[in-house]
Amino acid sequence: MRPTVANLNFTSRKRIERSHVRISGTTAGNEGYFILDRFDVSEYEFPYDAQLFVESWTGKYGYQRFDVGRLDRLDLAKRHDFASNDLPNATFRIKVVAPGSSGKILGDADNIPVEIGGRPPSILPIDPVDLDNRVWWLEIDEETGPVLQMNQRLPDYQQIARDIEFRATVMPSVVYQIALWVASSTSSGEADAKVRRWEKALTFPSVDLSKVNVEDEDSRQDFATRAAKAFAKHHDLFEKFIISLDRNQQ
Amino acid sequence: MTFNDWTFNNSRPGDTKTEVTFAEFFNTLDFNKQEEYLVRESFQNSGDAALSDVIPVKVRIYVSGNERAVKPSIAGKYFKSLLPHLEACQDIPGDWKVLLDGPCEFLAIEDFNTKGLTGDETAGMHDSEQNHFYHFFRTAGRTDKQAGTGKAGSWGVGKFVYIMSSQLRAMFGYTVREHSDASRRQLLLGQAALRYHKIGASIFSNYGYFGIPSDPEVGVTMPYNESASVNQFKKDWSLKRGDGQTGLSVVVPYCRDIEPDNLLFSIIKEYGGRILKGRLEVELDLPGGTIELTKGSLFNIIDSHANDEEWADVRSLLSLLVDRDSAKAEDWIELPRITKASEWRDLPLSDDLKEALASRFLSHGTVFVRVPVEIHRERSDASRSAENSTFEVLLRQEEGSDPIAPVFYRDGLRISGKQMGNKSNGVRTVFISGGGILAELLTNAEGPAHTEWQPNRDKFKGKYRRGDVWLKFCKNAPRRIVELVRGTNEENDYQALADLFPDPEYQASSTPKPKPKTRGEDGGTSGDVVVEQSGEVPVRISATDGGFILRLDEETDVEHMLVEMAYARVRGNTFSKWSPADFSTATLEVDVAGGDIISTEKNQLVVHVANTAKFKLRVRGFDSNRDLRIRATETLGV
């Protein structure tokens, strides 16, 4: 039986759904800017004079904060200059703060990726955390979905995540675990939406979730194995890995 | 008045010839301007020699420029006898005759309300006595200043900035100090640091002295002390020191180019904080007029350069320091005492504290944080308790979002090398070390220029328990506290794997209009706790005052359950990020009906269900200002 998880919202802080927020970025040379081009707060019942802040984070420069203004006076087309050329690597957070001087946070949305030039962000985020002696770990949380954790003590985890040696040896296993989660899931609500998105992401010619018998463990594992194989083939992981080995030996 | 010739002691052929490299060392540093290190080093020495913490140290800087340069006929009294030695040092470039035939531009730096160079001026070897005179004139790379005693200097090489600022590699020091023997109260000695050189058959040492020669086998070159010589010197070099005014006056003859604006800026940048505290006053006597830098005049001077970015940056820094000095007790947020050096991410800081930091920053744009620390010496005996100290981190939101480097202060000295901490966008940060063992630790990690803290210094290694971790902890403090006030540390990366796992539901942007509703001041707190629940274990969880009640559906065969509890977090796995600082089951109020508690540990309970219909687990004692997450998992028992 899958564990039951309950959230008790004592503080009444609203969790703004990611689908209600969208941040788009544009870069040119070393300059960049972003716009908050979607912010739908109609169902959250914030006071009209609450203040909206957007915060960005990049590994190179840390945080920037942008005072976007009162909720009833938002200019969604306004460009916010970004000081570095690090905009494509930025992650954003939204905070709605009570009017007055209390600084009380009424609502927030976290881990919002920036969309640059129409390129979709990754459905599998990387979370740099302390993993002791492990290099990576796949964490699947009911609420947040799969997250690839990488040891924050690695010298440059982003580069390692892009290296073919890492991808070829790690990613098929990652996909296998995610596919098992998808095949086993009976979630509902927002958690279910995440499962359905992953279902789409794992759509390959020989992989069909509709043929899986959810009650049959062998069937679920077969689906996951097929997904991992199809993923590796789709991205030519083995071929690229061999080429990389040859290069390194020269 | 006639002075004696410069004295260079003979060197024996068998002696190892160690040249003076300290001067060149300063040229390798990453200071922007020569004026900056001249100000840093000279003011540092003056501050260390202060008579008291109450009376401000006064420093007078006299820049002769060409307009007030000493005429060659007068300068010749002092340097004619140095010429053959300069010419014999063939690897020091310079057209010495031309230089000495021209006007002597010079710099004089005098400090007042200071002790002067105390100690036995006849000493030719160091002993246990503190002897500032000896260490200033007769040693290189050695000092009697102890780390952790509030002294900014610690290496004994700062005095070489005077030497390197002179084209002749020479300087004079005139000091007045308290002494029971009136004839030893005022002393004048000159020093030159050249190369080992040969004149005729004689080999001479690289250090030369301007004073009263002695037999080098039994004594040292003695300073002038009689009034005629000293008064002549003071008149020739435009010194202001009166007979009874203790302190040190340094004259740098044939000074290299000094740009008055750079000098003024360097004073304010490096020591503006001390001026604003009323502990330092500066008289900058320039050919075009005199500028008085005091607590009352400082911001007016800065504002007259308002259009310059560098000046605006310094103004912002100093105004933060002013705000810090006038802050009330409630303006400060104190972290729990740190008793073991660790990574910032491993600190057991409660969410309440983080919330307080974030709220303060959002509402005021400024946060003052105090961090008490407890540091152990590495080889201290077991009976010796840890030593306490503290540091402060000041944060302020700035206009714009440019990256701003943190500024570090130790004993009033600005430590600001390029390796000191990461920049933060749009947030100004200042680290101020407290005294005692922390100041000592940081001082011992500094190099001769006092611009960096590095764990590989000989004075530092092996001296403190987890010393390298403490150092990193301090250097990272500004950046990490910025992250804390922002409410989290590192965010997820959605780009690195975007080519492998593109979001299949990504769509082009649309722009609905926001429609906030008008509600009360706090914005929509209904008073009812919202409970969201998902999963397969057949439980019903409801909120109660400061906790929750968990019941089972009647038709279920669950016998054992693991119940985990944790305060909600903005990111990551809530349960694995539970901290003992949040709560523990030992401190919670737990009641069970229709079953038993089998075990409790950390944030977990294992329960046995005896009667499904009557089973009721009630847990209370949580902070109702925090959101709570509960996970129920069927288990096989303990």
Side-chain angles (χ1 to χ4, degrees):
Chain A
M1 266 190 290
R2 297 174 64 76
T4 292
V5 177
N7 295 311
L8 275 60
N9 187 358
F10 285 108
T11 62
S12 300
R13 181 183 293 182
K14 309 280 187 350
R15 192 153 192 184
I16 300 167
E17 282 186 30
R18 287 261 302 280
S19 59
H20 292 154
V21 181
R22 189 189 297 274
I23 289 175
S24 299
T26 299
T27 57
N30 289 331
E31 299 298 319
Y33 67 86
F34 71 87
I35 58 173
L36 177 65
D37 67 355
R38 180 186 175 97
F39 187 60
D40 185 2
V41 292
S42 53
E43 67 183 67
Y44 297 101
E45 300 186 341
F46 294 128
Y48 67 92
D49 53 351
Q51 203 75 9
L52 179 65
F53 293 94
V54 173
E55 295 175 353
S56 69
W57 185 89
T58 67
K60 189 174 178 185
Y61 287 116
Y63 278 94
Q64 294 183 63
R65 187 175 69 171
F66 303 87
D67 184 350
V68 182
R70 279 168 49 145
L71 288 191
D72 60 338
R73 297 176 189 169
L74 288 184
D75 176 7
L76 292 182
K78 185 181 175 185
R79 294 180 176 189
H80 302 279
D81 290 336
F82 210 79
S84 72
N85 57 1
D86 224 12
L87 182 58
N89 298 320
T91 307
F92 287 82
R93 170 190 252 200
I94 302 282
K95 280 182 181 169
V96 178
V97 178
S101 60
S102 70
K104 182 180 178 185
I105 299 168
L106 304 178
D108 59 5
D110 204 31
N111 279 325
I112 304 164
V114 61
E115 297 173 5
I116 303 283
R119 178 191 175 190
S122 173
I123 191 175
L124 181 64
I126 295 177
D127 187 9
V129 294
D130 189 356
L131 290 174
D132 298 321
N133 290 312
R134 291 168 294 164
V135 173
W136 65 276
W137 191 255
L138 185 70
E139 179 82 16
I140 303 182
D141 183 84
E142 283 299 310
E143 207 163 274
T144 56
V147 173
L148 182 65
Q149 297 179 331
M150 292 188 71
N151 197 317
Q152 61 189 2
R153 289 183 291 125
L154 290 166
D156 185 349
Y157 73 86
Q158 289 166 318
Q159 184 53 48
I160 290 171
R162 290 183 172 95
D163 286 346
I164 185 61
E165 289 89 345
F166 179 81
R167 289 182 164 195
T169 50
V170 169
M171 288 306 167
S173 172
V174 167
V175 169
Y176 178 86
Q177 292 182 59
I178 294 172
L180 259 188
W181 167 71
V182 170
S184 310
S185 178
T186 55
S187 301
S188 58
E190 192 177 358
D192 181 58
K194 286 190 194 310
V195 175
R196 300 287 79 81
R197 270 202 310 174
W198 268 105
E199 190 183 327
K200 287 183 189 172
L202 297 179
T203 300
F204 298 104
S206 59
V207 183
D208 188 351
L209 184 64
S210 64
K211 293 180 180 172
V212 174
N213 179 357
V214 179
E215 304 298 324
D216 180 359
E217 188 176 348
D218 288 344
S219 175
R220 295 198 302 264
Q221 287 179 349
D222 179 62
F223 167 77
T225 305
R226 285 172 182 272
K229 283 182 180 175
F231 171 84
K233 186 179 179 186
H234 181 76
H235 293 285
D236 293 328
L237 293 183
F238 184 78
E239 291 299 321
K240 289 176 183 172
F241 182 59
I242 294 296
I243 291 168
S244 175
L245 287 180
D246 287 345
R247 276 196 195 128
N248 290 340
Q249 286 169 357
Q250 284 169 7
Chain B
M1 176 71 216
T2 306
F3 292 101
N4 297 305
D5 289 349
W6 283 81
T7 302
F8 287 81
N9 290 334
N10 286 103
S11 176
R12 293 170 300 187
D15 292 341
T16 300
K17 311 294 186 293
T18 305
E19 297 293 7
V20 183
T21 55
F22 298 108
E24 282 78 5
F25 162 76
F26 280 92
N27 285 328
T28 67
L29 302 179
D30 56 359
F31 290 113
N32 294 326
K33 306 168 181 82
Q34 179 191 220
E35 293 83 355
E36 197 168 310
Y37 52 74
L38 192 60
V39 164
R40 277 176 65 92
E41 297 297 335
S42 59
F43 281 47
Q44 182 181 308
N45 289 335
S46 298
D48 289 347
L51 281 175
S52 82
D53 289 340
V54 183
I55 307 167
V57 168
K58 292 190 180 179
V59 175
R60 170 179 180 257
I61 301 183
Y62 181 93
V63 182
S64 77
N66 189 47
E67 299 91 327
R68 303 186 290 184
V70 172
K71 292 176 184 168
S73 58
I74 295 174
K77 290 189 296 187
Y78 297 90
F79 301 111
K80 193 176 172 185
S81 63
L82 188 61
L83 182 61
H85 294 281
L86 285 164
E87 289 179 328
C89 295
Q90 292 174 357
D91 51 351
I92 300 179
D95 193 342
W96 306 115
K97 272 189 178 168
V98 171
L99 184 70
L100 294 180
D101 283 345
C104 173
E105 291 188 29
F106 70 97
L107 185 74
I109 303 176
E110 302 186 87
D111 62 37
F112 301 90
N113 297 331
T114 52
K115 295 171 185 168
L117 296 177
T118 56
D120 180 7
E121 70 278 12
T122 68
M125 190 62 197
H126 49 263
D127 55 25
S128 58
E129 295 286 313
Q130 277 216 331
N131 191 335
H132 297 311
F133 188 95
Y134 167 78
H135 281 103
F136 187 78
F137 279 114
R138 316 230 190 254
T139 68
R142 189 181 175 89
T143 180
D144 53 5
K145 296 176 186 175
Q146 294 296 312
T149 57
K151 307 297 185 193
S154 62
W155 279 82
V157 298
K159 56 211 173 199
F160 283 93
V161 296
Y162 304 124
I163 297 280
M164 69 157 294
S165 297
S166 165
Q167 295 179 70
L168 293 188
R169 300 167 66 114
M171 65 147 177
F172 300 105
Y174 163 59
T175 186
V176 176
R177 74 264 179 88
E178 293 291 340
H179 203 288
S180 55
D181 181 351
S183 68
R184 297 173 71 179
R185 283 184 192 154
Q186 58 171 359
L187 306 169
L188 166 65
L189 190 65
Q191 187 186 51
L194 307 181
R195 302 277 189 192
Y196 281 85
H197 54 284
K198 195 171 178 183
I199 300 177
S202 300
I203 302 171
F204 290 101
S205 168
N206 45 6
Y207 283 99
Y209 288 93
F210 176 88
I212 303 167
S214 304
D215 179 352
E217 295 297 324
V218 293
V220 294
T221 304
M222 289 296 293
Y224 292 102
N225 61 351
E226 89 291 1
S227 296
S229 304
V230 169
N231 289 340
Q232 183 65 53
F233 178 84
K234 284 161 64 178
K235 183 183 171 196
D236 288 343
W237 301 99
S238 304
L239 301 187
K240 258 192 173 180
R241 184 174 308 285
D243 290 344
Q245 290 181 296
T246 58
L248 173 66
S249 302
V250 172
V251 171
V252 180
Y254 298 96
C255 188
R256 296 180 194 279
D257 286 343
I258 292 285
E259 178 58 49
D261 274 353
N262 288 346
L263 196 56
L264 175 63
F265 179 73
S266 298
I267 294 168
I268 294 174
K269 179 183 170 192
E270 299 295 328
Y271 287 93
R274 199 169 277 203
I275 293 171
L276 287 170
K277 277 183 178 291
R279 296 181 63 185
L280 174 68
E281 294 178 356
V282 182
E283 176 188 325
L284 188 54
D285 191 339
L286 303 169
T290 299
I291 301 171
E292 301 280 351
L293 292 104
T294 64
K295 188 178 177 179
S297 69
L298 194 68
F299 275 115
N300 289 336
I301 293 167
I302 294 172
D303 289 344
S304 65
H305 297 78
N307 296 328
D308 187 301
E309 265 183 37
E310 271 191 329
W311 283 80
D313 186 63
V314 167
R315 191 189 203 294
S316 177
L317 170 68
L318 293 178
S319 69
L320 181 57
L321 295 176
V322 169
D323 288 351
R324 178 255 178 220
D325 288 343
S326 59
K328 298 170 189 160
E330 60 265 30
D331 295 330
W332 287 89
I333 294 177
E334 183 159 320
L335 267 51
R337 180 172 298 281
I338 313 296
T339 56
K340 183 183 172 188
S342 66
E343 299 281 344
W344 275 90
R345 61 175 176 269
D346 295 333
L347 289 185
L349 302 179
S350 71
D351 278 3
D352 279 353
L353 181 66
K354 292 175 188 171
E355 186 76 27
L357 285 165
S359 297
R360 177 85 196 173
F361 195 61
L362 271 174
S363 57
H364 291 73
T366 304
V367 176
F368 299 144
V369 180
R370 189 174 285 120
V371 186
V373 295
E374 191 176 289
I375 299 173
H376 295 256
R377 293 182 192 282
E378 188 62 89
R379 284 186 289 273
S380 61
D381 62 270
S383 62
R384 190 170 177 180
S385 61
E387 293 171 54
N388 293 330
S389 186
T390 184
F391 67 80
E392 297 169 2
V393 176
L394 320 178
L395 276 71
R396 174 182 283 164
Q397 182 78 41
E398 298 276 295
E399 284 182 22
S401 56
D402 292 338
I404 304 172
V407 175
F408 295 80
Y409 288 100
R410 192 269 306 161
D411 290 322
L413 187 66
R414 178 177 164 137
I415 315 291
S416 51
K418 287 177 180 169
Q419 304 300 317
M420 291 296 292
N422 292 320
K423 294 178 179 179
S424 294
N425 274 329
V427 182
R428 181 171 301 284
T429 53
V430 177
F431 174 100
I432 302 173
S433 165
I437 191 168
L438 180 61
E440 178 200 306
L441 180 150
L442 297 174
T443 305
N444 285 333
E446 284 168 22
H450 306 285
T451 55
E452 313 277 3
W453 290 329
Q454 299 290 351
N456 55 357
R457 313 274 184 210
D458 287 343
K459 292 178 177 183
F460 179 87
K461 281 190 284 190
K463 205 164 180 182
Y464 309 97
R465 196 180 300 168
R466 295 170 68 83
D468 55 335
V469 184
W470 274 119
L471 210 54
K472 198 174 164 191
F473 185 78
C474 290
K475 287 169 74 171
N476 287 339
R479 170 76 177 255
R480 296 304 173 211
I481 292 180
V482 168
E483 291 171 0
L484 277 175
V485 301
R486 293 299 199 207
T488 184
N489 41 35
E490 292 185 339
E491 303 283 359
N492 291 350
D493 181 327
Y494 284 87
Q495 299 298 329
L497 301 174
D499 55 328
L500 290 185
F501 303 103
D503 186 343
E505 295 185 356
Y506 172 82
Q507 294 169 357
S509 302
S510 57
T511 310
K513 289 291 288 180
K515 294 174 188 168
K517 293 185 179 177
T518 305
R519 290 286 301 247
E521 175 76 9
D522 276 337
T525 53
S526 65
D528 297 329
V529 179
V530 178
V531 180
E532 294 171 354
Q533 182 177 319
S534 63
E536 295 175 348
V537 178
V539 296
R540 286 168 281 124
I541 297 173
S542 57
T544 183
D545 184 25
F548 66 93
I549 295 173
L550 183 149
R551 295 183 177 85
L552 280 166
D553 292 345
E554 288 187 16
E555 293 180 9
T556 178
D557 54 359
V558 172
E559 287 187 15
H560 293 94
M561 238 182 335
L562 169 69
V563 181
E564 298 163 279
M565 300 147 285
Y567 289 130
R569 292 174 188 274
V570 292
R571 63 183 279 270
N573 186 308
T574 303
F575 298 103
S576 64
K577 293 197 173 182
W578 166 85
S579 158
D582 294 340
F583 63 83
S584 81
T585 48
T587 60
L588 295 172
E589 185 185 328
V590 183
D591 301 311
V592 65
D596 313 290
I597 303 291
I598 293 181
S599 67
T600 61
E601 188 185 9
K602 297 178 179 176
N603 60 332
Q604 301 174 347
L605 300 166
V606 177
V607 294
H608 167 242
V609 180
N611 185 325
T612 306
K614 291 183 178 175
F615 183 82
K616 180 179 169 186
L617 173 69
R618 188 174 67 172
V619 184
R620 292 193 298 183
F622 297 99
D623 183 350
S624 56
N625 292 316
R626 310 271 297 276
D627 295 336
L628 188 64
R629 207 164 181 216
I630 300 139
R631 179 163 65 189
T633 310
E634 185 181 14
T635 68
L636 298 174
V638 183

